[in-house]
């Protein structure tokens, strides 16, 4: 079983991901996630993983727990 090396998004892909995170939705629904993945050229899994990591980063910077709790974003 071959293990895949994680692929880092390009600068252009990161710009698209950041724009969607900041301006569109921190919690994209499956349809939106699919559209963002298509726009970036990343898989839906890679896109979802990026959003989860970015959300945890954002929550930490806001002084919130890294996982969803009783406080809504």
């Amino acid at each position: 079983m071959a293990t895949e090396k994680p692929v880092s998004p390009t600068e252009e892909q990161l710009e698209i991901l950041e724009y969607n995170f900041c301006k569109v939705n921190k919690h994209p629904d499956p349809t939106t996630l699919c559209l963002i993945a298509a726009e970036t050229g990343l898989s839906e899994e890679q896109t979802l993983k990026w959003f989860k990591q970015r959300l945890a980063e954002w929550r930490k910077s806001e002084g919130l727990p890294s996982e969803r709790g009783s406080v809504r974003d």
Side-chain angles (χ1 to χ4, degrees):
M1 191 194 266
T3 57
E4 285 186 36
K5 277 178 85 176
V7 178
S8 297
T10 65
E11 194 172 316
E12 186 177 333
Q13 289 169 325
L14 282 173
E15 285 179 21
I16 295 167
L17 291 166
E18 279 291 336
Y19 173 81
N20 281 285
F21 182 83
C22 295
K23 304 285 188 209
V24 180
N25 194 343
K26 290 177 177 41
H27 305 282
D29 59 60
T31 304
T32 305
L33 191 70
C34 181
L35 292 171
I36 296 168
E39 186 179 359
T40 59
L42 298 171
S43 71
E44 287 182 52
E45 282 181 354
Q46 291 170 308
T47 306
L48 180 60
K49 184 177 179 181
W50 184 89
F51 267 87
K52 284 183 176 181
Q53 290 174 336
R54 183 64 179 87
L55 182 62
E57 218 176 85
W58 177 81
R59 291 179 70 81
K60 186 177 179 182
S61 75
E62 294 292 312
L64 300 167
S66 61
E67 294 296 321
R68 269 189 166 174
S70 60
V71 178
R72 253 329 250 171
D73 306 329

